[in-house]
Amino acid sequence: QGSPTTAGGIQLNARVTQLAAHSFGRVTAVEVDTYQPLEKGDVILRIDPTQYEARVAKAEAQLVAAENGVLQMKDALAAALADVEDVKAQMEVWKSTLAATESNRDVAASALNAAVANLDVAKADIARNESNVKTADLQIERLRRLEKDQVIPVAEVDSAENKVVTAKAGLVAARANQQRAKDDVAAKEASLAAAKATVQQTRDQFASLEAKLAKAHAAANQAKVQLESTIDGEHTSVITARAQVADARYNLESTVITAPASGYVAALGITEGDYLRMFEFGTFVVTEERIATAMFPQTVVRHIQPGQEAEIAFRAAPGVIVPAVVDAIVWGSGEAQMPSSGTMPNVNQAVA
């Protein structure tokens, strides 16, 4: 609207991006020619994918191994917890066994005490019978002298001799009884020693189970810690393996280099068979969007607003009018930029 405004100069700009390879390798195909119109996603070139396919296969195998590893950790935790319960059950059995063996030991100790008491009785009985024999021997000698002197009858001597025989028989019986008591004491001592040994063996077994229980608890705790290494409910080993798969797949996909937008390749410094490394190998001109930069006098700029429609004509294309829209006004330029220095600026006033 109004009279046309003429710019002091117009520059038509296009966005230019550099083509670079993420994956490196031998170029197997170049699919485009320089300045050939391309759409976004069109293939520019291909890199030999063999090594990247192998890396994807390896990463996928490692992911499966990680997932199986998590299952094995779960099985290991279940087995460790089962071991804990099994050892606890064994300890209960051996606890009862220990109580029984200690009871048997106490019984054996009581039996030994009784046998020792019987032996003491047998010893006392021997002493009493030995005293009886001695007394009977003295009595018979006295009575024989009296009978010799015809002071007492022969029948009284015979009665005394019978008492001697009886006393000696009692001594023999007492000694036999003492031997039996000694044998019984020896047997009871052996029984007590065996009972004590059984108690010790049971205690050793119980201590072994206590150590085994501690080991089972440690294994269960370790398995639990390994299994609980998760982020948002997923094990870290699986997360790591899945990330490696994603990275390997991205590298494989990057062996096919495509156009980033609609445009054309302005310069391509690579041919089929070249070994492409991770560096820029070409220039891509984006044609989806063009920006025209125009210089206007300051007296005119104040009448221009973003969003206004405009028409552009080029001397190189007589009669062709290009419609446009004002996108933005840049209120500065390189000509107005002052260098930073320690001196005062020299400002020359310009009259438009």
Side-chain angles (χ1 to χ4, degrees), residues 86-159:
D86 180 62
V87 174
K88 285 182 177 179
Q90 292 182 48
M91 289 182 69
E92 288 300 319
V93 173
W94 280 96
K95 187 176 181 180
S96 300
T97 303
L98 178 59
T101 56
E102 288 177 338
S103 177
N104 292 339
R105 177 205 57 196
D106 295 341
V107 170
S110 299
L112 176 60
N113 292 334
V116 170
N118 290 335
L119 180 59
D120 292 339
V121 171
K123 288 178 179 179
D125 192 35
I126 288 176
R128 181 176 57 78
N129 279 279
E130 286 177 342
S131 177
N132 291 339
V133 169
K134 186 177 180 180
T135 301
D137 285 339
L138 293 175
Q139 181 66 11
I140 192 64
E141 290 178 0
R142 185 178 67 78
L143 291 175
R144 283 175 179 168
R145 288 194 299 270
L146 292 175
E147 186 270 332
K148 186 177 180 180
D149 294 337
Q150 297 181 352
V151 176
I152 61 174
V154 175
E156 191 171 343
V157 174
D158 291 339
S159 176

Side-chain angles (χ1 to χ4, degrees), residues 8 11 50 52 64 88 111 167 203 217-218 255 296 303 313-314 316 326 329:
Q11 182 178 1
T50 303
Y52 298 101
V64 173
K88 285 182 177 179
R203 286 177 176 173
H217 273 303
T255 60
F296 293 92
H303 298 295
F314 297 96
V326 177
I329 299 174

Side-chain angles (χ1 to χ4, degrees), residues 16 22 25 49-50 56 129 141 152 155 170 230 240 254 258 270 275 278 291 307-308:
V16 178
H22 176 77
T50 303
V56 169
N129 279 279
E141 290 178 0
I152 61 174
T230 60
T240 301
S254 297
T258 60
I270 200 80
Y275 192 87
M278 294 181 185
I291 298 176
Q308 289 179 335

Side-chain angles (χ1 to χ4, degrees), residues 187-257:
K188 294 299 189 292
E189 286 176 339
S191 295
L192 179 59
K196 287 181 177 180
T198 302
V199 169
Q200 187 59 50
Q201 290 173 356
T202 306
R203 286 177 176 173
D204 292 342
Q205 182 63 30
F206 194 79
S208 175
L209 287 174
E210 287 179 328
K212 188 175 180 180
L213 179 61
K215 186 177 180 180
H217 273 303
N221 290 335
Q222 183 179 6
K224 185 177 180 182
V225 169
Q226 290 177 345
L227 192 59
E228 289 179 346
S229 177
T230 60
I231 298 175
D232 295 333
E234 188 171 35
H235 200 270
T236 52
S237 63
V238 175
I239 294 174
T240 301
R242 184 171 288 113
Q244 290 173 346
V245 169
D247 184 61
R249 287 176 178 171
Y250 177 75
N251 290 336
L252 176 59
E253 293 170 357
S254 297
T255 60
V256 179
I257 299 176

